[in-house]
Amino acid sequence: MRLRIGHMYPDLMNLYGDRGNVIALARRLQWRGIEAEIVGIAAGDAAALGDFDLLFMGGGQDREQAIVCRDLEARREDLRRAMEADVVLLAVCGGYQLLGHYYRMPDGREIPGLGILDLHTEAGPTRMIGNAACRSEYLPEPGTLVGFENHGGRTYLGPGCAPLATVLSGHGNNGEDGGEGAVYRNVFGTYLHGSLLPKNPHFADLLLGRALARRGAGTMGDPLDDSLEWRAHRVALGLAGVDGREA
Ligand code: GLN
């Protein structure tokens, strides 16, 4: 079997090395003997998003988001159909914001989003920066999700999607309601940047499992040796001030 991974806007939306998530997905497939094809999708590229098994969009600054939103507008219906067909999508920070209804920038102007996730984002007076740890009911043991966040936007979820996780330490979606990220069908948004999937192997496998199930694969095979990944996870929990045994 061969899975196709679409990396959306790898040149514009790649803060903190978000592309590491794509590498992690491909490597975890290869370790299981499954072929992975990574395709970069830049603004203006002809691409049928429904032909992919997994899509990834990283974070970017307001300037990049404004460029990307114009290209996304042309892809709105294609992406919507792919989402309703349960293509797996992970979007981080600026990419996550673009899946919502809009992002209102500090100067009051709005960047329109795709409205695929029922949420909107408004820039606040301070930036929310630092290591974060959360607990997610979508994840198997240990259920914790660790990462680093840096955003000025506050994201508020509507009834059409659910939070991905509950904040143990850090800010999450808006620093107020304890939620982090959002989930709708196989679409996952999060504020957790950078090397998210390498140090959260259970989240990587959740995404891969859903993509493989959609292709009719019943099992992911034997578990991988994730001892290094879990060490990194525990270190990140510690950096966020959370004791792994209590989390
Ligand atoms: N516009 C985003 C913000 O809220 C960009 C964040 C990001 O992707 N790091 O700051």
Side-chain angles (χ1 to χ4, degrees):
M1 185 178 304
R2 179 191 183 92
L3 255 56
R4 293 188 84 212
I5 303 173
H7 187 179
M8 302 182 74
Y9 313 109
D11 47 343
L12 291 168
M13 305 291 277
N14 185 37
L15 275 184
Y16 299 111
D18 284 334
R19 78 172 67 238
N21 294 312
V22 174
I23 297 169
L25 289 170
R27 288 306 289 269
R28 295 184 75 78
L29 285 170
Q30 287 156 2
W31 287 336
R32 294 184 162 101
I34 301 168
E35 261 187 85
E37 180 189 1
I38 300 175
V39 180
I41 305 167
D45 281 0
L49 299 177
D51 289 348
F52 291 92
D53 298 291
L54 289 129
L55 293 165
F56 174 77
M57 180 159 48
Q61 292 168 16
D62 294 2
R63 195 187 68 84
E64 283 99 29
Q65 277 179 276
I67 299 169
V68 161
C69 94
R70 288 196 289 275
D71 189 75
L72 275 179
E73 179 56 40
R75 300 188 194 271
R76 182 190 296 265
E77 283 318 307
D78 191 25
L79 191 55
R80 187 180 294 279
R81 273 196 301 273
M83 297 306 96
E84 298 302 329
D86 282 331
V87 170
V88 177
L89 168 65
L90 173 64
V92 176
C93 202
Y96 168 40
Q97 295 173 353
L98 285 170
L99 296 184
H101 300 297
Y102 65 85
Y103 164 50
R104 186 172 299 134
M105 293 188 284
D107 63 8
R109 283 180 303 150
E110 273 183 22
I111 294 182
L114 289 166
I116 280 174
L117 289 178
D118 181 21
L119 54 86
H120 68 274
T121 304
E122 306 197 353
T126 54
R127 294 197 69 78
M128 304 200 271
I129 306 175
N131 295 301
C134 317
R135 169 171 291 288
S136 175
E137 287 176 11
Y138 291 88
L139 296 173
E141 281 300 306
T144 42
L145 189 63
V146 291
F148 176 80
E149 57 181 336
N150 181 356
H151 52 110
R154 275 75 171 154
T155 295
Y156 300 93
L157 273 50
C161 58
L164 167 64
T166 305
V167 176
L168 298 170
S169 166
H171 305 277
N173 283 332
N174 50 50
E176 296 162 33
D177 63 19
E180 149 51 35
V183 182
Y184 166 71
R185 296 182 78 123
N186 281 346
V187 181
F188 296 82
T190 178
Y191 270 115
L192 302 178
H193 257 299
S195 56
L196 176 66
L197 296 181
K199 58 180 178 271
N200 292 287
H202 51 351
F203 190 31
D205 281 355
L206 173 73
L207 302 175
L208 293 174
R210 290 203 182 191
L212 286 165
R214 193 174 156 264
R215 290 280 298 274
T219 162
M220 299 237 285
D222 294 336
L224 301 175
D225 174 7
D226 283 328
S227 42
L228 266 180
E229 285 79 355
W230 288 118
R231 258 173 77 183
H233 185 97
R234 284 192 295 275
V235 169
L237 275 178
L239 289 172
V242 172
D243 181 337
R245 285 162 306 185
E246 293 166 14

